[in-house]
Amino acid sequence: MSAPFHRSLRALAADGARRPIQVLVVAVLLCGLWSAWFFLFRVSVYAVSSEARVEVEVATHPIEPVVEGRVVSSSLVLDRWVEAGEVLVVLDTRALEIELSAKRVRVESITAQLGPLDREVETNSRALGEHGRVARAQVAEARAQHRGAMVLADYAQSEAQRSAALREQALVSAADLAKMISEGRLKRASADALEVAVGRIDAESRLKRSEIEAEIAKLSREIELLQGQKAQELVAIEALQHEIDLRSIRAPVSGKLGEVAVLRAGSVVAKGARLGAVVPPGQLQVTADFSPEVVLGRVRPGQAARLRLAGFPWAEYGTLPLSVESVGSEVRDGKVRVELSIAGSGPPAIPMQHGLPGAVEVEVERVLPAELVLRAAGRMLERGRAGDGASR
């Protein structure tokens, strides 16, 4: 039994002598492979976004009231299709409708007053025209009578002059001469009276015309005043109707309700409060927010990228291939916006829809691991110098 046992001990001793050599060879190989990877093979460097989101290319439209009010009814249902202009929320308008009814009654009352005034103006206008024609006829008649009386007066005067000549020859008696003179004077007075009558008729006609015109002017002023009041009431009615329309909150565009607020009848909504959002149909894209130092000068249109969706582990569901479309040049709220298009159909297990959050990774360069180590060392040295400078 002792001989086999000694041979076993020698075999174990020989194996123990070879094992360090094998371990050393494996270690050298591993170091060689790691060195080759470290100094010869390039790795990808990614710029990672702080936020990312799947969105439709057409911007979503918020549903926001432009006035404050109390909710009467709401038809906001998540993921429901709505048409542009469809009423989604109705706010209380009772006070406005009462005021609107009062304004409409006032307009009807003014309209009722304008009717008789218009007819009265029309009647006076016709009377003015008729009076003018009658007055012209009366004046013409009086002037004709005056001319006839003047003719008779002239004739009577000439007869009296002839009778005076005959009286000197004793051919006419003194009584006949006196009679002829009296008749001439009477006819002259009658002609003068007719001349005065012409002026009186003309003056009376002008006075009557002035009275009618004054009445028309008075009625016209009343009509203008009422028409001005009516115009003001109509403007107020239009403003009230606009205020009532503002309390019917409508869908700005056709699409699905991608966001809704829980509204109950009687609750009060503030002006500008976000009640929901309408997502119009369109192609999906990805928008991401990057830190300026990560993206500016490094991310450019055309670069490949990928999206890891929150809630869908990439090891199980995969990533969504993207392509950079545009990069913002201005920093807003400490971030730079980048828009990316979807380069493929994406993982079939992920339901692609508006609003999915995640993180975007954009390959910005390929470098050696050694370069990455040197960069990290350089940053550490810079922070160390900055710390020393601050302590001093």
Side-chain angles (χ1 to χ4, degrees):
M1 296 292 293
S2 60
F5 178 75
H6 287 294
R7 285 196 297 270
S8 298
L9 290 176
R10 287 196 297 271
L12 290 173
D15 290 340
R18 288 195 300 269
R19 187 169 297 145
I21 298 175
Q22 294 174 352
V23 172
L24 180 61
V25 171
V26 171
V28 170
L29 289 175
L30 290 176
C31 289
L33 291 174
W34 181 84
S35 299
W37 170 81
F38 191 74
F39 292 104
L40 299 177
F41 292 91
R42 295 182 178 273
V43 295
S44 298
V45 177
Y46 292 92
V48 182
S49 68
S50 56
E51 294 179 0
R53 171 183 169 95
V54 178
E55 297 179 348
V56 292
E57 291 181 344
V58 182
T60 59
H61 294 260
I63 302 171
E64 299 175 348
V66 296
V67 293
E68 181 180 346
R70 189 176 301 276
V71 176
V72 174
S73 63
S74 172
S75 59
L76 293 175
V77 178
L78 192 64
D79 207 35
R80 183 173 73 88
W81 179 269
V82 296
E83 296 293 338
E86 180 181 343
V87 176
L88 302 178
V89 180
V90 178
L91 303 182
D92 185 24
T93 60
R94 285 176 296 179
L96 294 173
E97 288 175 351
I98 291 173
E99 187 177 356
L100 180 62
S101 298
K103 295 291 184 183
R104 286 173 173 168
V105 170
R106 175 63 177 157
V107 169
E108 292 176 358
S109 174
I110 293 174
T111 303
Q113 296 178 56
L114 285 173
L117 291 176
D118 288 335
R119 290 191 292 271
E120 193 171 351
V121 168
E122 186 179 355
T123 300
N124 280 288
S125 297
R126 287 199 299 268
L128 183 62
E130 292 293 332
H131 171 74
R133 288 191 291 271
V134 172
R136 287 192 295 271
Q138 290 177 343
V139 170
E141 181 182 4
R143 285 174 177 170
Q145 291 176 354
H146 173 254
R147 286 193 298 271
M150 288 296 294
V151 171
L152 292 177
D154 292 340
Y155 178 75
Q157 185 177 2
S158 63
E159 287 294 319
Q161 291 175 352
R162 283 196 298 271
S163 296
L166 292 174
R167 175 74 181 106
E168 291 176 356
Q169 298 175 8
L171 297 176
V172 176
S173 63
D176 289 338
L177 177 60
K179 181 180 179 181
M180 294 294 292
I181 292 173
S182 298
E183 289 180 355
R185 290 175 178 174
L186 180 62
K187 290 181 179 179
R188 174 63 63 181
S190 177
D192 292 340
L194 288 174
E195 184 178 7
V196 172
V198 170
R200 177 179 57 78
I201 292 172
D202 188 42
E204 290 177 350
S205 173
R206 287 197 297 269
L207 178 61
K208 183 65 176 178
R209 182 180 182 87
S210 298
E211 291 177 352
I212 297 175
E213 289 176 345
E215 183 66 18
I216 292 175
K218 177 184 176 182
L219 293 171
S220 298
R221 286 193 297 271
E222 293 181 7
I223 290 173
E224 290 178 359
L225 179 61
L226 290 174
Q227 286 177 339
Q229 294 175 357
K230 182 179 179 180
Q232 291 178 353
E233 297 297 334
L234 290 175
V235 171
I237 287 174
E238 186 175 355
L240 286 171
Q241 190 62 59
H242 178 65
E243 288 292 323
I244 291 174
D245 291 340
L246 290 179
R247 283 159 176 78
S248 294
I249 304 171
R250 303 174 182 274
V253 294
S254 298
K256 284 188 176 182
L257 293 174
E259 175 189 347
V260 297
V262 178
L263 298 178
R264 295 180 177 85
S267 60
V268 177
V269 296
K271 176 182 178 181
R274 190 178 180 91
L275 305 182
V278 179
V279 182
Q283 295 290 332
L284 293 175
Q285 65 175 7
V286 176
T287 60
D289 293 330
F290 289 82
S291 298
E293 65 274 9
V294 171
V295 66
L296 293 179
R298 307 183 72 191
V299 176
R300 296 176 298 278
Q303 286 180 317
R306 62 190 180 188
L307 173 65
R308 295 185 179 184
L309 292 168
F312 297 91
W314 67 271
E316 179 181 354
Y317 291 91
T319 58
L320 184 65
L322 306 173
S323 176
V324 177
E325 290 292 331
S326 60
V327 181
S329 58
E330 294 292 333
V331 179
R332 183 175 181 182
D333 297 330
K335 303 294 181 182
V336 175
R337 180 184 175 92
V338 177
E339 295 183 353
L340 309 98
S341 61
I342 299 175
S345 59
I350 299 178
M352 295 301 298
Q353 62 183 30
H354 173 84
L356 287 175
V360 169
E361 299 176 349
V362 182
E363 183 180 347
V364 294
E365 60 179 330
R366 292 182 64 83
V367 297
L368 296 174
E371 295 181 22
L372 294 177
V373 172
L374 291 175
R375 291 179 186 178
R379 286 193 292 269
M380 292 178 63
L381 288 174
E382 289 179 0
R383 286 196 294 268
R385 290 176 181 174
D388 292 341
S391 62
R392 291 176 185 175

